[in-house]
Amino acid sequence: MPEAKRPRTQTSAEASFPGLFPQTDALSTAYAQATPFPHTRIAPFCSDTLLRGVRDEMLTALHFTQKETDILKYHQSGDLANLDGLSAHELGRLPHLAQLRDALYSSEFRAFVSRVTGCGPLSGSRTDMSTNRYKPGDHLLLHDDVIGDRCVSYIIYLPDPDEGEWASSDGGGLELYGRSEAGAPLASPARVLRPLWNQLVMFAVQPGRTYHAVQEVCGRRERLSIQGWFHLPQPGEPGHSPDQLARLLGSGASSLAQIEARGQGDPGRAFAEFDPAEPGSAVPGEDPADAADLDSVEPDLAAPGASPADAAELDAADRRALAPLINAEYLDGAVMGQAADRFADASHIQLGAFLRADVAARLLDVLRAADADAQVGGRACVTAYAAGEHADWAVEGPPVVRRFLQLRADAAPAAEPGRALHALQQLFGGAAFARWLAGVSGLALGGRRGGVRRFRAGLDYTLGT
């Protein structure tokens, strides 16, 4: 009798990712057709037993350090490539993490990644992965993952599998952004992927195209994940090419390069010079005590021939212009002198209760009402991307460096809080207020620019870079 064939022994990758490799062709097709850029989402991805072991080791044996910059806030472990440097005793506490890492960077899984994404050969010597804990309030702003020779990015999600499925209201979703015709990321994501248990998301890194972000995490749950990258072949590895990095980076400007190029300049807004001949428009005969209607205030600008740099003290017309909105104490010459002394000593000053109490109270009411109407803040932890957008407000971007609502300057606001804020903008943009600033700061002010920004909780930002 012929000897019976012995069953083929499963490889580590096959055992770790059961049933995955037969799906390669179907996943490759779906990857190429995915929008807003090619990506794949695989669930379930890994052996459930293995992943539960990985999660337990992450929570009991790894040390997490808080990372916080102007674009991110979360807790991260060290690079798991360093597992090879651990003692046998230390490595013995992380058997599941070691198995998962070895399976991910095995030749079999790298070939799978290469076929699905069409990215070409990947390095087998360069491992790059860490574990992340996003606690309530943690987030990661928009970027494209382009650093060095990263080629493919992946995320494996490990929220508590016994607490039920992660809800959209928990935040923490992976936002995928499309691009405008000019190539800039759009203000709102085209797709948001919830961080579900045993789910892998993967995409080939492309400068200026693979824009993504992580929503702020809400509620009480933690968003646990493994983040990593496959790199281009290193010198001496199969598939390495001397110009491979230039070809990768030459396909577009990365988000980091865009941040460095754009900086924090106020987009498209030049300074407007003060006009010494600009006629004044005081409110003749009006009692400032009766002028608390924010919708109707038309502040005085400048007396003929005056310049903001000339005024160490306010004249009567300037006080009449500022009194309807500004706390009367700050218009007193003695108080202005005290403020000027403090500013001269420290080059900065903070003035509490700057607006009139009745003006501030009414402004707070209309702002709270606007937030409630748009479901911003309060119990609505995840703010809708279009919240608050209407005829008076437009989104300011690009989200590589900023996202917030800007009060439109091309027309008078039609509703609150736009009307109230517009009145304040007119006041702070006028020459009477410039003379007040000149008196307090001792500086010669020759121009102005400004705008009214609205930052929606959990959604808007501007980078400090």
Side-chain angles (χ1 to χ4, degrees):
M1 289 180 63
E3 186 178 346
K5 278 189 175 182
R6 294 180 180 179
R8 186 174 69 86
T9 303
Q10 274 192 324
T11 65
S12 173
E14 288 175 326
S16 300
F17 314 124
L20 176 64
F21 298 129
Q23 303 177 54
T24 301
D25 290 341
L27 289 171
S28 177
T29 299
Y31 175 90
Q33 296 173 349
T35 59
F37 54 80
H39 66 277
T40 189
R41 184 186 72 86
I42 303 171
F45 163 66
C46 186
S47 157
D48 191 77
T49 301
L50 172 59
L51 210 59
R52 285 177 178 267
V54 167
R55 176 181 164 83
D56 288 344
E57 291 166 9
M58 289 170 64
L59 295 175
T60 60
L62 295 184
H63 173 71
F64 288 83
T65 302
Q66 180 172 313
K67 305 289 184 181
E68 185 168 7
T69 71
D70 54 355
I71 74 162
L72 60 85
K73 179 176 178 283
Y74 54 78
H75 299 72
Q76 187 176 65
S77 72
D79 190 340
L80 297 184
N82 298 326
L83 292 180
D84 292 333
L86 297 179
S87 67
H89 171 71
E90 291 173 320
L91 192 59
R93 300 178 61 202
L94 304 170
H96 298 93
L97 270 167
Q99 178 183 335
L100 178 61
R101 186 204 62 170
D102 292 345
L104 285 169
Y105 288 91
S106 67
S107 59
E108 191 170 12
F109 190 77
R110 284 186 286 114
F112 164 80
V113 171
S114 181
R115 284 186 58 187
V116 170
T117 65
C119 67
L122 297 168
S123 175
S125 64
R126 179 88 187 272
T127 58
D128 186 358
M129 60 184 289
S130 60
T131 58
N132 298 329
R133 294 176 73 171
Y134 284 75
K135 300 183 179 183
D138 288 354
H139 59 273
L140 176 58
L141 300 185
L142 184 140
H143 61 292
D144 60 13
D145 265 7
V146 175
I147 295 179
D149 61 358
R150 291 176 178 175
C151 188
V152 174
S153 177
Y154 66 88
I155 311 100
I156 304 169
Y157 295 104
L158 301 93
D160 191 335
D162 299 321
E163 283 195 356
E165 191 169 276
W166 189 283
S168 297
S169 58
D170 293 324
L174 178 65
E175 302 173 327
L176 307 181
Y177 285 78
R179 300 182 298 169
S180 67
E181 292 183 359
L186 298 175
S188 300
R191 190 176 186 190
V192 180
L193 303 177
R194 288 179 294 151
L196 302 179
W197 167 255
N198 201 357
Q199 174 179 258
L200 169 88
V201 176
M202 177 175 67
F203 54 85
V205 173
Q206 300 179 64
R209 187 176 184 194
T210 49
Y211 294 117
H212 60 287
V214 177
Q215 290 176 320
E216 181 177 329
V217 174
C218 304
R220 61 180 180 82
R221 300 187 69 175
E222 287 192 6
R223 178 189 186 272
L224 206 64
S225 64
I226 293 176
Q227 169 76 63
W229 295 270
F230 294 97
H231 289 255
L232 293 172
Q234 306 300 294
E237 288 189 305
H240 176 266
S241 172
D243 65 344
Q244 61 184 15
L245 186 58
R247 284 188 279 112
L248 173 65
L249 300 181
S251 60
S254 69
S255 57
L256 180 59
Q258 292 177 55
I259 290 173
E260 292 171 345
R262 293 177 183 271
Q264 270 303 101
D266 205 0
R269 295 184 181 87
F271 278 92
E273 293 185 3
F274 289 108
D275 182 4
E278 189 176 37
S281 57
V283 189
E286 182 175 58
D287 181 354
D290 297 330
D293 183 356
L294 295 185
D295 297 339
S296 62
V297 169
E298 292 294 337
D300 182 25
L301 294 177
S307 167
D310 296 334
E313 293 186 4
L314 298 179
D315 61 20
D318 287 338
R319 286 191 174 87
R320 284 197 301 273
L322 300 176
L325 299 178
I326 293 179
N327 186 335
E329 288 189 19
Y330 292 122
L331 304 181
D332 179 79
V335 174
M336 287 182 63
Q338 294 172 7
D341 289 341
R342 291 188 182 181
F343 187 88
D345 289 339
S347 296
H348 66 86
I349 192 169
Q350 180 175 322
L351 303 174
F354 189 70
L355 298 177
R356 280 175 42 167
D358 56 339
V359 171
R362 180 172 174 242
L363 185 59
L364 184 60
D365 286 343
V366 297
L367 289 172
R368 283 176 170 168
D371 280 350
D373 183 62
Q375 296 184 334
V376 173
R379 294 185 177 181
C381 179
V382 179
T383 300
Y385 296 101
E389 290 184 44
H390 52 71
D392 291 345
W393 300 89
V395 177
E396 187 71 60
V400 167
V401 292
R402 62 180 69 85
R403 179 173 61 202
F404 50 77
L405 296 183
Q406 182 94 17
L407 187 64
R408 297 182 187 273
D410 53 357
E416 297 292 12
R419 288 199 297 259
L421 293 168
H422 178 71
L424 287 175
Q425 183 182 18
Q426 293 293 99
L427 174 78
F428 293 139
F433 185 69
R435 278 190 289 273
W436 183 92
L437 283 176
V440 170
S441 68
L443 301 175
L445 307 178
R448 65 189 177 223
R449 75 175 181 189
V452 178
R453 298 176 175 182
R454 182 180 179 188
F455 288 81
R456 298 160 293 178
L459 187 60
D460 292 336
Y461 54 88
T462 183
L463 298 192
T465 303

